[in-house]
Amino acid sequence: MTINWKKSAIVLADLLLAVYLLLAVTAFNSPDESINVCREVNIHIEDGSVKGFLNQEEIKVLLQRARCYPVGDQMDHVDVRVIEEQLKKNPFVKDAQCFKTQTGHVNIIIDQRLPVIRVKADNGDDYYVDEHGSIMPNTHFASNLVIATGAIHQKYAQKVLRDIGCFLLNSPLWGNQVEQLNVLPDGSLEMVPRVGDHIVYFGSPSNLERKLERLEKFYKYGLSKAGWNKYSYINVEFDNQIICKKRKN
């Protein structure tokens, strides 16, 4: 068998050229991260039904205090996992994702926990309850959440008030009308409305939606004609009846 050396040399040269071109294209499309510096951090916070617990400036300060805010650092030294874990330590962060771009940017996407009610109990406790019934510490940020006061222990807040808070957030009418809930020592519930100078007594927090339906009808067909300030106390505890106490002149 005779080897065609000329033909073999041409094939080998073509093969080496193809490998060179492949490596050159790969190197061109994947710039050396070690010579790139982080020029910008983009922070996006997913908003839930309630806003104001987290903002971009607070996230920046949090990372600066932890010494992992990446602006000015070489991109190959930026550890996105460290940034994610640091953010997840914040009690208001449900999840955090961080990734780098070839243009020297670090992008951060944060999913924040959703508080549904604020508790200011008689025993001095001051905290939020989130949609999953977990306790969230008090914060300096303002919110329009319903405030629950009175004889409240944490189990009551996590089981009872959590469900009520979720219902109110999903109800356009009652989410705007209920300003405050007050828990009495026996666990029964009162409500302070935004419109009308009266107190509504629910009794046990069970069947609250049905009680609110009766109250809505009373508002529509009773108070709208008699006047919103005619009664000082409205009791909707019992089925098929509403007991009202007239305001003293």
Side-chain angles (χ1 to χ4, degrees):
M1 179 178 180
T2 302
I3 300 176
N4 189 334
W5 294 106
K6 183 177 180 180
K7 185 176 181 180
S8 299
I10 293 173
V11 171
L12 180 60
D14 289 342
L15 181 61
L16 291 174
L17 178 61
V19 171
Y20 171 77
L21 291 174
L22 178 62
L23 292 175
V25 170
T26 302
F28 178 78
N29 290 329
S30 302
D32 186 1
E33 222 181 35
S34 65
I35 64 175
N36 288 337
V37 173
C38 176
R39 298 184 291 109
E40 186 176 341
V41 175
N42 301 311
I43 301 173
H44 176 72
I45 301 175
E46 300 285 346
D47 285 324
S49 300
V50 180
K51 299 180 182 181
F53 279 80
L54 292 173
N55 57 45
Q56 294 180 355
E57 185 61 27
E58 186 178 15
I59 296 302
K60 177 181 177 180
V61 171
L62 187 154
L63 294 177
Q64 287 175 335
R65 288 175 178 171
R67 298 183 179 180
C68 58
Y69 190 69
V71 169
D73 295 342
Q74 289 188 343
M75 290 297 283
D76 62 336
H77 292 167
V78 176
D79 191 332
V80 296
R81 295 291 174 264
V82 171
I83 294 175
E84 289 176 350
E85 291 305 316
Q86 192 64 44
L87 291 172
K88 290 176 183 177
K89 292 179 181 179
N90 188 292
F92 301 111
V93 174
K94 182 190 297 184
D95 191 25
Q97 296 180 358
C98 179
F99 59 92
K100 299 182 284 187
T101 71
Q102 293 181 351
T103 57
H105 291 188
V106 172
N107 295 328
I108 298 174
I109 301 175
I110 294 176
D111 186 13
Q112 61 180 330
R113 292 170 64 186
L114 173 63
V116 295
I117 198 164
R118 180 176 180 178
V119 173
K120 297 188 71 173
D122 287 345
N123 61 8
D125 287 348
D126 189 352
Y127 54 85
Y128 295 88
V129 179
D130 75 3
E131 58 188 321
H132 302 295
S134 298
I135 300 298
M136 302 171 64
N138 186 18
T139 173
H140 60 278
F141 289 116
S143 71
N144 294 322
L145 289 177
V146 172
I147 297 177
T149 58
I152 305 173
H153 53 78
Q154 286 196 359
K155 287 186 178 180
Y156 186 97
Q158 291 175 296
K159 294 182 178 180
V160 178
L161 295 180
R162 174 260 177 192
D163 290 342
I164 296 175
C166 288
F167 169 78
L168 294 177
L169 279 181
N170 291 307
S171 171
L173 171 62
W174 297 114
N176 291 318
Q177 173 65 353
V178 178
E179 181 174 17
Q180 178 183 340
L181 295 172
N182 186 51
V183 181
L184 301 179
D186 62 356
S188 59
L189 204 60
E190 293 177 329
M191 182 265 281
V192 179
R194 294 186 188 277
V195 179
D197 186 14
H198 56 261
I199 301 295
V200 177
Y201 180 71
F202 293 116
S204 166
S206 61
N207 301 318
L208 188 63
E209 292 185 39
R210 219 163 50 197
K211 295 172 183 177
L212 286 172
E213 288 177 2
R214 293 205 309 275
L215 182 60
E216 180 180 358
K217 292 179 180 178
F218 180 69
Y219 277 175
K220 185 180 296 184
Y221 302 110
L223 289 189
S224 61
K225 297 179 180 179
W228 286 89
N229 298 324
K230 182 176 181 178
Y231 302 107
S232 61
Y233 208 79
I234 301 173
N235 185 334
V236 295
E237 177 183 12
F238 305 107
D239 290 337
N240 303 318
Q241 63 176 322
I242 295 178
I243 304 171
C244 300
K245 181 180 180 181
K246 284 187 178 181
R247 184 178 307 282
K248 295 181 179 179
N249 295 327

